[in-house]
Amino acid sequence: MADVSLKEAALIVGVVAACYWNSLFCGFVFDDVSAILDNKDLHPSTPLKNLFQNDFWGTPMSEERSHKSYRPLTVLTFRLNYLFSELNAVSYHFLNLVFHVVVCIVFLKVCKLFLDNRSSIVASLLFAVHPIHTEAVTGVVGRAELLSSIFFLAAFLSYTKSKGPDNTIVWTPIALTVFLVAVATLCKEQGITVVGICCVYEVFIAQGYTLPTLLDTAVQILRGKGSIPFSMLQTLLKLIVLMFSTLLLVVVRVQVIQSQLPVFTRFDNPAAVSPSPARQLTFNYLLPVNAWLLLNPSELCCDWTMGTIPLVESLLDVRNVATLTFFCFLGALIVFSLRYPDNSSKTVLMALCLIVLPFIPASNLFFPVGFVVAERVLYVPSMGFCILVAHGWRKLSNKSVLRKISWVCLAAVLFTHALKTLHRNWDWESEYTLFMSALKVNKNNAKLWNNVGHALENEKNFERALQFFIQATQVQPDDIGAHMNVGRTYKNLNKTKEAEESYMIAKSLMPQIIPGKKYAARVAPNHLNVYINLANLIRANESRLEEADQLYRQAISMRPDFKQAYISRGELLLKMNKPLKAKEAYLRALELDRTNADLWYNLAIVYIELKDPAEALKNFNRALELNPMHKLALFNSALLMQESGDARLRPEAKQRLLHYVKEEPQDANGYFNLGMLAMDDKKDMEAEAWMKKAIRLQPNFRSALFNLALLYSQTAKELMALPVLEDLLRYYPDHTKGLILKGDILMNQKKDIVGAKMCFEKILELDPNNVQGKHNLCVVYFEERDLIKAEKCLVETLALAPHEEYIQRHLNIVRSKIASLGAMEQSSLPSEGTAAAEEKKKSFQNLKEVKNEKTTTQSAVDNNKEHSKNKKLTEKNSVDKETPKKSTKEIKDIEKKRVAALKRLEEIERILNV
């Protein structure tokens, strides 16, 4: 950096900041969504090795759907951003701005190799403010261009130091150049093209050869009239080292993509699949189009695919004039630069190298690319353009007649370009603003109409989104994706008939299977989702499940490696109650992708259906190994541990639930299950706090309300349970267990027989055959001293549950007391009446205790815990023997067992609800 002064660097920093300050207010748009928001490689939980196994978008390079864009170092910088600020877009845009400043300063140093100081500053300033760079600087994914350019220029600067005194070779700069080329290539593929620039520099700049000189030397050698000069041998040696290194990098790169080119469709690059001569004419015409964008960046567009530039299908097309003019001008510059040995020729030659060589990978000359025109790929070629403009400006400004005009023109260009850049940045503020600005430039691109629709869809504005999707189908009637978008939007608007019609149109546009030809070569993998979407739509109808399954199988037959089809089919098979077949589908999907946490999670759900909780927990754990913050796996594995009854698993279950509520702080279910765990561990205060938090988030949370009331009842806070039960019954008036618990508290704690009676009568209104409610109502009749009604009630209850011994025994108690009281009433002695009254009072106390025992008994029966019932019932007195009053300890034991049984009932209800 010795050749760049502090003032010059400060000037560049100030200009870049003035042009790009508003980029800090932009979000993640367009390709940023796939590269940043949806890319799991950015997460700290993802192993670093994945960055070197996956493409730029996080897709494994081995998969056919991969774009084969291998840029691990760029993704690494995204990961660093995520580490410090997660998904805060400001930090990503700020780092892009910093990298652009670095590129501009290094570019200034390169310019000083071929231009004077003033012209170098002009070239660097023009590069800093050029509007064509907004896609590379303001779009976060443009960082690949920025990073690659830094190492690209650094490699070139390093190579310029490889010539020592007396034309000797200095190998250290060459070794450093090779290393920097490799780094640049790991940032973006075009970094490797700097080797070509180094070769041109070595031959025509460092050695000073011209094309005529080289031709004369070659002729002399071929005629045997001379030998190769030593300096030329040294040059050849350096070039061989460079080319060998380049070849090695190319071989490694081919191995990385596994010798497979990415799959693109005619929608991405129509000319690539067009017949001759349309393909050649269109590709050649794209060259002057790109040159015009550098010369006049007034109409910029983020997407130039599909029908943006119509195919040049005839030699008579007037656009061929532009192509011819471009090649004539380019040829003249090449002849001038190679023929003459002066400095001006050398400057033009290096400018042309910077324009042409880095653009070759995007030119479709050697392999098709997934776009027609892309503004960001002009980032490096614009360096050569800026050098040409600065060189031309110097020529004009050196003439006294044109000096003032040249300065005025330069100031106007810099000012208008800076203003355009500043204004263009606002277009990248959101996806809606970006794609709407693109539609102003180009209305023939269906993808733009689709993307505006997607932006509106993300805002839940489905009606407006539908208008743009329909317009996309009109602009490009054979666009499968557009019809899929229409179908999805109709589905969101609950117009299933129209949605199915749109999906059927998209399905009809799919290429037909041709024997012997790979299907994947003729369709984008995401277009196969039409089968998935259509099947997902029609499987909502229970009568069409088999039809949906047929669609999934059709997609799999077209692409046996179509992972999503197996996943969706597995879900359907579970719905069809075919867990074994669902298991087969998920295992097949896991063969294709064993690093997918969602697949392991789905397989765990299958094992739950197969009643194999141990295997289910293993698969939940595998999902969490791959994605420690997989929310559903955290929650359901914790639930499985909790329901296992194994106290050793409770601490881990608690930790998983704590992680879950950290990820989903607004989900009341997480806090509720933490409360249930605390209840299991007898941590009553902690359980109360978790339950209250769940209820604050979801005031009508049925299970949380009931279990909080149960907790109060269990901890001798029955009166605190009553308002909670009131809330529960206000939201759920038919909550039977809530009514039972409320009636029990009213009878035992508040001595409110009337209120308890209303609760039990309400239960019987909801379910006349509810044995527990009817039996408790019989107890109320007994409390009301209505033995005849109590007897009748118990007879009806026994008819509902004839095998319940305790009901028969309680009926015998009532009948015994009726008979006893009848016998006493026949006696005329007053003392006998008093004794009868006392006997009646004790009998009521006896049946009241029986009622408490019944609550526990029936709950225990519901939980298949019959041993509790039998044990308690054998402790009851016979009908002919007076029962002494139970001790306080015994009553508390009964109460604890009662609430424990009720709690288990509620847990079972919650599990069934889940």
Side-chain angles (χ1 to χ4, degrees):
M1 298 303 299
D3 293 340
V4 177
S5 68
L6 187 61
K7 288 183 179 180
E8 292 169 343
L11 175 64
I12 290 174
V13 171
V15 169
V16 172
C19 289
Y20 286 99
W21 63 269
N22 57 339
S23 68
L24 300 178
F25 300 97
C26 298
F28 295 115
V29 297
F30 203 17
D31 290 338
D32 298 347
V33 176
S34 300
I36 309 295
L37 301 183
D38 298 338
N39 193 346
K40 294 180 181 178
D41 288 348
L42 272 64
H43 301 170
S45 58
T46 303
L48 273 175
K49 66 178 183 179
N50 283 23
L51 273 65
F52 296 90
Q53 296 173 347
N54 299 341
D55 67 13
F56 188 53
W57 317 99
T59 305
M61 295 292 289
S62 58
E63 292 192 11
E64 189 173 358
R65 62 190 178 95
S66 169
H67 281 206
K68 312 300 181 186
S69 46
Y70 189 65
R71 305 161 191 174
L73 296 186
T74 303
V75 180
L76 182 61
T77 65
F78 292 151
R79 186 171 174 131
L80 291 174
N81 271 121
Y82 188 92
L83 183 65
F84 289 106
S85 63
E86 293 192 351
L87 294 177
N88 181 2
V90 174
S91 71
Y92 293 80
H93 288 293
F94 178 76
L95 196 54
N96 271 25
L97 194 152
V98 170
F99 286 145
H100 183 53
V101 168
V102 173
V103 173
C104 293
I105 293 174
V106 179
F107 176 59
L108 174 59
K109 186 174 176 64
V110 171
C111 289
K112 290 188 176 186
L113 295 173
F114 314 109
L115 297 169
D116 60 27
N117 194 60
R118 180 183 295 172
S119 301
S120 298
I121 294 174
V122 168
S124 184
L125 289 177
L126 182 58
F127 179 80
V129 303
H130 203 296
I132 202 71
H133 300 155
T134 51
E135 184 171 343
V137 181
T138 310
V140 177
V141 295
R143 184 177 300 177
E145 314 289 339
L146 306 176
L147 284 173
S148 180
S149 299
I150 292 172
F151 295 108
F152 179 101
L153 295 175
F156 176 69
L157 286 173
S158 174
Y159 187 80
T160 59
K161 299 175 182 179
S162 64
K163 181 181 178 181
D166 300 325
N167 207 23
T168 56
I169 301 175
V170 183
W171 290 106
T172 302
I174 295 177
L176 180 59
T177 297
V178 173
F179 171 76
L180 291 172
V181 169
V183 174
T185 306
L186 290 175
C187 294
K188 193 177 179 183
E189 298 78 1
Q190 69 180 26
I192 201 170
T193 60
V194 71
V195 173
I197 296 175
C198 291
C199 291
V200 173
Y201 174 84
E202 176 66 30
V203 174
F204 296 101
I205 310 298
Q207 301 300 328
Y209 295 122
T210 62
L211 188 58
T213 303
L214 291 175
L215 291 174
D216 289 341
T217 304
V219 169
Q220 293 296 325
I221 293 172
L222 290 174
R223 291 179 178 178
K225 295 182 179 180
S227 60
I228 302 176
F230 180 72
S231 61
M232 191 171 288
L233 287 174
Q234 286 186 311
T235 301
L236 285 173
L237 180 59
K238 292 170 72 174
L239 294 182
I240 289 171
V241 171
L242 278 179
M243 297 307 294
F244 179 79
S245 303
T246 305
L247 183 62
L248 186 62
L249 286 174
V250 170
V251 170
V252 172
R253 183 70 173 82
V254 171
Q255 289 297 318
V256 167
I257 67 173
Q258 300 184 3
S259 304
Q260 293 179 347
L261 289 175
V263 177
F264 298 115
T265 68
R266 57 190 177 85
F267 300 111
D268 299 315
N269 190 349
V273 295
S274 299
S276 299
R279 181 169 64 253
Q280 290 78 13
L281 291 175
T282 304
F283 283 157
N284 284 311
Y285 173 67
L286 293 179
L287 299 177
V289 169
N290 282 279
W292 181 250
L293 286 174
L294 289 174
L295 197 60
N296 178 29
S298 58
E299 293 186 341
L300 300 177
C301 181
C302 63
D303 193 300
W304 295 79
T305 57
M306 303 188 81
T308 303
I309 299 177
L311 295 174
V312 182
E313 298 179 301
S314 170
L315 291 172
L316 299 178
D317 193 313
V318 69
R319 290 175 292 176
N320 289 320
V321 175
T323 305
L324 187 61
T325 303
F326 170 79
F327 277 108
C328 288
F329 182 72
L330 181 64
L333 288 177
I334 292 173
V335 170
F336 170 77
S337 61
L338 294 177
R339 186 172 182 179
Y340 302 105
D342 57 24
N343 290 334
S344 179
S345 298
K346 294 178 180 179
T347 301
V348 172
L349 178 61
M350 293 310 299
L352 289 175
C353 287
L354 283 170
I355 292 174
V356 175
L357 295 180
F359 186 74
I360 287 177
S363 65
N364 291 282
L365 291 177
F366 299 106
F367 48 82
V369 294
F371 53 83
V372 179
V373 173
E375 293 166 10
R376 62 176 175 265
V377 302
L378 294 175
Y379 188 77
V380 175
S382 67
M383 295 179 184
F385 172 77
C386 293
I387 290 175
L388 275 181
V389 172
H391 181 58
W393 173 82
R394 184 184 65 176
K395 293 286 187 181
L396 292 175
S397 63
N398 286 339
K399 297 180 179 180
S400 58
V401 179
L402 300 175
R403 183 173 301 163
K404 291 184 179 179
I405 296 176
S406 64
W407 277 101
V408 170
C409 291
L410 176 64
V413 168
L414 291 175
F415 178 76
T416 55
H417 277 44
L419 201 61
K420 172 66 177 179
T421 298
L422 188 67
H423 182 267
R424 175 65 174 160
N425 288 334
W426 289 121
D427 292 339
W428 290 80
E429 184 178 13
S430 68
E431 292 209 319
Y432 179 77
T433 57
L434 178 64
F435 297 126
M436 286 300 292
S437 69
L439 280 176
K440 293 176 184 177
V441 176
N442 173 30
K443 291 181 171 58
N444 296 322
N445 187 340
K447 190 174 178 181
L448 294 176
W449 293 99
N450 281 320
N451 286 336
V452 175
H454 287 310
L456 293 168
E457 189 179 30
N458 292 336
E459 297 173 0
K460 308 300 180 185
N461 192 346
F462 298 121
E463 292 287 353
R464 278 198 70 201
L466 182 61
Q467 296 174 11
F468 282 89
F469 289 142
I470 291 175
Q471 182 63 33
T473 63
Q474 293 173 355
V475 171
Q476 190 88 32
D478 58 351
D479 182 6
I480 297 172
H483 290 287
M484 290 169 62
N485 292 335
V486 172
R488 186 182 62 255
T489 310
Y490 273 131
K491 181 183 177 183
N492 290 331
L493 292 170
N494 296 319
K495 297 180 178 181
T496 54
K497 182 181 178 181
E498 292 85 348
E500 185 173 349
E501 290 174 355
S502 296
Y503 284 140
M504 291 301 292
I505 294 172
K507 182 171 173 285
S508 68
L509 293 171
M510 296 289 286
Q512 300 302 309
I513 298 176
I514 300 174
K517 188 173 182 181
K518 284 185 68 177
Y519 185 81
R522 297 170 293 110
V523 68
N526 63 308
H527 284 171
L528 283 170
N529 285 325
V530 66
Y531 295 97
I532 307 300
N533 294 347
L534 182 56
N536 290 345
L537 178 69
I538 66 176
R539 79 182 195 185
N541 186 339
E542 295 289 338
S543 65
R544 302 181 68 183
L545 296 182
E546 289 293 343
E547 186 181 346
D549 189 34
Q550 176 62 31
L551 285 166
Y552 291 135
R553 282 183 282 141
Q554 187 176 355
I556 290 170
S557 68
M558 292 179 172
R559 285 283 298 271
D561 62 343
F562 191 16
K563 180 176 60 181
Q564 187 57 46
Y566 292 105
I567 295 172
S568 299
R569 184 167 185 248
E571 295 169 359
L572 176 67
L573 291 169
L574 275 178
K575 186 176 181 179
M576 297 171 71
N577 198 25
K578 297 179 180 179
L580 289 175
K581 287 190 175 181
K583 176 183 171 182
E584 291 176 8
Y586 287 131
L587 288 175
R588 179 70 182 96
L590 281 169
E591 290 176 11
L592 299 171
D593 183 9
R594 298 190 67 82
T595 63
N596 190 319
D598 292 335
L599 282 174
W600 291 107
Y601 169 81
N602 290 347
L603 189 59
I605 299 299
V606 171
Y607 279 113
I608 289 177
E609 292 292 326
L610 293 172
K611 304 188 185 312
D612 190 347
E615 196 63 31
L617 187 57
K618 287 181 183 178
N619 285 281
F620 279 138
N621 290 339
R622 287 177 182 174
L624 291 170
E625 287 172 9
L626 293 167
N627 181 7
M629 299 316 295
H630 192 291
K631 291 180 283 192
L632 289 175
L634 284 170
F635 181 82
N636 286 290
S637 62
L639 200 62
L640 200 61
M641 291 176 178
Q642 181 182 356
E643 297 308 326
S644 70
D646 189 345
R648 295 171 298 176
L649 295 177
R650 287 179 192 161
E652 178 61 23
K654 181 178 180 180
Q655 287 302 313
R656 294 188 181 187
L657 286 172
L658 288 172
H659 284 306
Y660 176 77
V661 297
K662 183 180 178 181
E663 291 293 308
E664 291 287 342
Q666 298 303 312
D667 186 358
N669 288 287
Y671 302 106
F672 166 72
N673 282 282
L674 282 167
M676 295 302 294
L677 274 175
M679 288 179 71
D680 290 340
D681 290 333
K682 311 300 181 186
K683 298 178 181 178
D684 298 332
M685 293 183 65
E686 183 181 335
E688 180 183 355
W690 289 123
M691 291 294 182
K692 285 183 174 179
K693 190 160 188 177
I695 293 168
R696 279 198 300 271
L697 288 171
Q698 187 178 333
N700 64 341
F701 197 154
R702 175 181 171 128
S703 298
L705 288 166
F706 179 79
N707 280 281
L708 180 59
L710 197 63
L711 178 66
Y712 285 142
S713 176
Q714 187 177 1
T715 54
K717 299 177 183 177
E718 288 86 352
L719 297 182
M720 292 178 66
L722 279 178
V724 180
L725 287 169
E726 292 291 345
D727 289 339
L728 172 67
L729 294 171
R730 186 173 71 253
Y731 290 115
Y732 308 100
D734 57 347
H735 196 289
T736 304
K737 289 184 287 297
L739 288 166
I740 290 173
L741 183 57
K742 181 182 177 183
D744 184 66
I745 294 172
L746 289 174
M747 179 174 285
N748 289 328
Q749 303 299 321
K750 298 197 73 175
K751 311 301 179 184
D752 183 357
I753 304 299
V754 176
K757 183 178 181 180
M758 291 175 63
C759 290
F760 300 137
E761 286 176 342
K762 175 69 174 176
I763 293 171
L764 294 179
E765 286 178 15
L766 298 169
D767 180 11
N769 297 323
N770 188 293
V771 176
Q772 187 175 355
K774 195 165 185 67
H775 177 271
N776 287 0
L777 184 60
C778 300
V779 176
V780 170
Y781 292 148
F782 194 89
E783 291 283 352
E784 292 177 339
R785 315 299 196 261
D786 193 340
L787 293 180
I788 302 301
K789 202 168 185 179
E791 180 189 22
K792 180 182 178 183
C793 178
L794 285 168
V795 169
E796 293 173 354
T797 307
L798 186 62
L800 293 173
H803 301 295
E804 295 292 349
E805 294 180 7
Y806 72 92
I807 299 177
Q808 180 64 59
R809 198 155 53 243
H810 298 171
L811 178 59
N812 292 339
I813 292 173
V814 172
R815 284 175 173 170
S816 174
K817 297 311 172 185
I818 291 174
S820 175
L821 289 174
M824 289 178 184
E825 287 174 355
Q826 293 177 2
S827 173
S828 59
L829 294 174
S831 59
E832 291 175 352
T834 305
E838 182 64 26
E839 176 69 15
K840 185 176 180 180
K841 180 179 179 182
K842 290 180 179 179
S843 298
F844 281 122
Q845 178 64 38
N846 183 28
L847 197 56
K848 182 178 179 182
E849 292 169 1
V850 171
K851 179 262 309 180
N852 283 336
E853 200 171 312
K854 164 66 195 74
T855 303
T856 305
T857 299
Q858 186 60 35
S859 299
V861 169
D862 290 344
N863 286 278
N864 297 318
K865 304 280 186 179
E866 293 192 8
H867 63 276
S868 300
K869 175 191 73 175
N870 295 334
K871 180 180 178 182
K872 287 187 166 99
L873 289 176
T874 55
E875 294 172 355
K876 290 299 164 189
N877 294 321
S878 67
V879 293
D880 296 323
K881 188 174 181 180
E882 185 174 339
T883 305
K885 187 174 182 180
K886 289 183 180 291
S887 66
T888 303
K889 183 179 179 182
E890 289 174 320
I891 293 173
K892 285 186 177 180
D893 288 341
I894 292 173
E895 176 69 12
K896 285 182 179 179
K897 291 175 181 178
R898 174 184 63 79
V899 296
L902 280 173
K903 173 187 170 187
R904 185 58 189 164
L905 266 177
E906 184 65 16
E907 286 184 39
I908 289 176
E909 178 193 29
R910 171 174 55 77
I911 294 167
L912 291 174
N913 287 339
V914 172

